[in-house]
Amino acid sequence: MDTVTGAVTHDPPPATAGRPGRPLIVTEDTELLDDLLRLCAAAGATPEVRHSLPRGRGGWESAPLVLVGDDAARRVRGAARRHGVVLVGRDQDDSGVWRRAVEIGADHVLVLPDGEQWLVDRIADVAEGVGRPALTVGVIGGRGGAGASTLACALAVTSAREGPRTLLVDADPLGGGLDVLLGGETAQGLRWPAFAASRGRVGGGALEEPLPELHALRVLSWDRGDRVAVPPQAVRAVLAAARRRGGTVVVDLPRRVDDGVAEVLAQLDVGLLVVPAELRAVAAAGQVASAVGMVLKDLRVAVRGPYAPGLDDREVARLLGLPLVGEVPVEPALLRPDGGRTPPGASARGPLARFCKEFWERASAEVGSG
């Protein structure tokens, strides 16, 4: 059991995973109830309120989160033990709160106002029905022009075609915009500058629904206006919101690792380093891998031909000391004069789409068995 005195990173209890629901508040303390209702409103949740233990076992046991005011602890003492019970009080110096929390089987003791942000996050998890986070893959070029953005788009297009909810995030403000690569630069919707002021927790729905929808996926890209700096804490909040909704998230990364990119790397499941098979590219990729590897532990190499003499995909991987994903194939449709309006991976039978589909199958199996 934990005492919460500030914002705490946590996993949702088993009772809340994968299904939204209404938190249950049990209290007769009107001031405390006002505070809890305010925090529920901030988290986008409408609670059920009771002064004592609900009649019948359904209300207590089915609520994904139960907030018990310290005044009501004795009244719920006989309730069935369950996950997701928080005892909420105001008195920092009341040592008896621990005993009362044990008596009702609370997971946490929360003292207001210090624990407000933690509680808002917890209630928002309930409102969104948090389950397994999205399989999140970052793509980064070993050198300029390596084709990382093309592969990122192809991975996202392929994922969306296969069914999972998919979000493509452009983390490179100098890359020209992934919406352009997908042929959607004029599509209506929000871009990164709209989220530059984000702090704390961003709701998953509030992030995703206003974004442009292209090729059955949502895209968070940059606009063509003046460059707006997005602080690292905003990057962290936005990507965390994207991951909470499940499915897959693909992030196109710049080669320069700054504080904002480090926030992205910390939330990736897998990173793909795209490396052309030439010696100078391998040397440059080694520098990128060194910087990225300080934050991301699972970094793999995807090799692009044509091959310089003495190199193949396995040799490139060996020189970099990274696991090999495979050779990224050329998509013939992208080489045609009109190929600039064809999204990478758009042809399900094309070699690039097949490469991406095989990658997702392997990655999903690894996550599922992890």
Side-chain angles (χ1 to χ4, degrees):
M1 180 172 59
D2 301 323
T3 300
V4 179
T5 57
V8 176
T9 301
H10 64 279
D11 294 321
T16 72
R19 61 177 180 84
R22 298 176 62 192
L24 171 65
I25 297 176
V26 183
T27 184
E28 287 185 331
D29 184 332
T30 55
E31 292 186 7
L32 179 61
L33 178 59
D34 286 344
D35 283 338
L36 293 178
L37 290 175
R38 171 176 56 83
L39 297 177
C40 285
T46 302
E48 176 185 358
V49 179
R50 294 284 183 265
H51 296 313
S52 60
L53 189 67
R55 292 184 178 180
R57 301 175 63 183
W60 173 270
E61 295 184 352
S62 63
L65 179 67
V66 179
L67 308 177
V68 179
D70 196 26
D71 65 290
R74 289 186 176 87
R75 296 194 294 278
V76 302
R77 190 181 298 168
R81 297 300 173 101
R82 50 154 294 165
H83 290 288
V85 176
V86 181
L87 183 63
V88 187
R90 295 177 178 277
D91 189 351
Q92 297 267 7
D93 300 320
D94 181 8
S95 59
V97 69
W98 290 97
R99 173 179 52 80
R100 294 189 290 276
V102 170
E103 289 174 348
I104 67 172
D107 297 326
H108 299 276
V109 173
L110 181 77
V111 180
L112 297 180
D114 292 343
E116 286 193 356
Q117 185 58 57
W118 182 90
L119 188 55
V120 169
D121 288 347
R122 188 69 171 269
I123 297 169
D125 283 344
V126 168
E128 291 187 24
V130 172
R132 181 187 291 275
L135 174 54
T136 307
V137 176
V139 187
I140 187 167
R143 65 153 169 80
S149 295
T150 297
L151 179 57
C153 287
L155 285 168
V157 169
T158 302
S159 171
R161 184 169 51 241
E162 295 298 314
R165 164 259 178 197
T166 303
L167 177 63
L168 176 61
V169 179
D170 186 352
D172 185 359
L174 302 180
L178 291 186
D179 52 352
V180 176
L181 192 54
L182 292 172
E185 62 270 23
T186 61
Q188 295 297 311
L190 299 183
R191 267 69 172 179
W192 263 115
F195 300 97
S198 299
R199 300 291 188 275
R201 181 187 177 106
V202 176
L207 166 69
E208 187 169 336
E209 290 167 9
L211 297 179
E213 184 174 3
L214 305 169
H215 310 286
L217 59 95
R218 297 284 182 170
V219 182
L220 176 55
S221 189
W222 298 88
D223 59 18
R224 260 56 67 185
D226 294 337
R227 182 181 174 187
V228 175
V230 179
Q233 58 267 36
V235 175
R236 178 175 62 248
V238 165
L239 190 58
R243 296 186 71 239
R244 280 197 303 272
R245 301 206 86 186
T248 60
V249 174
V250 181
V251 187
D252 183 32
L253 292 160
R255 289 183 295 126
R256 177 171 159 271
V257 180
D258 57 18
D259 290 342
V261 173
E263 293 290 354
V264 176
L265 293 173
Q267 298 193 57
L268 296 181
D269 295 304
V270 181
L272 299 183
L273 182 64
V274 183
V275 184
E278 55 188 51
L279 288 177
R280 288 187 63 191
V282 174
Q287 298 297 314
V288 176
S290 178
V292 170
M294 296 178 66
V295 183
L296 177 62
K297 300 308 178 185
D298 191 350
L299 180 64
R300 311 176 190 184
V301 61
V303 182
R304 281 189 55 221
Y307 293 95
L311 288 181
D312 60 18
D313 53 358
R314 290 181 175 83
E315 180 63 9
V316 171
R318 187 192 69 78
L319 290 171
L320 292 170
L322 295 173
L324 176 65
V325 172
E327 178 184 351
V328 181
V330 174
E331 184 72 78
L334 300 180
L335 302 178
R336 295 198 298 263
D338 61 344
R341 308 307 294 177
T342 302
S347 173
R349 296 183 178 181
L352 186 55
R354 292 198 302 270
F355 172 89
C356 293
K357 182 178 180 180
E358 291 172 3
F359 168 79
W360 285 123
E361 289 172 350
R362 293 195 305 269
S364 298
E366 291 169 3
V367 171
S369 63

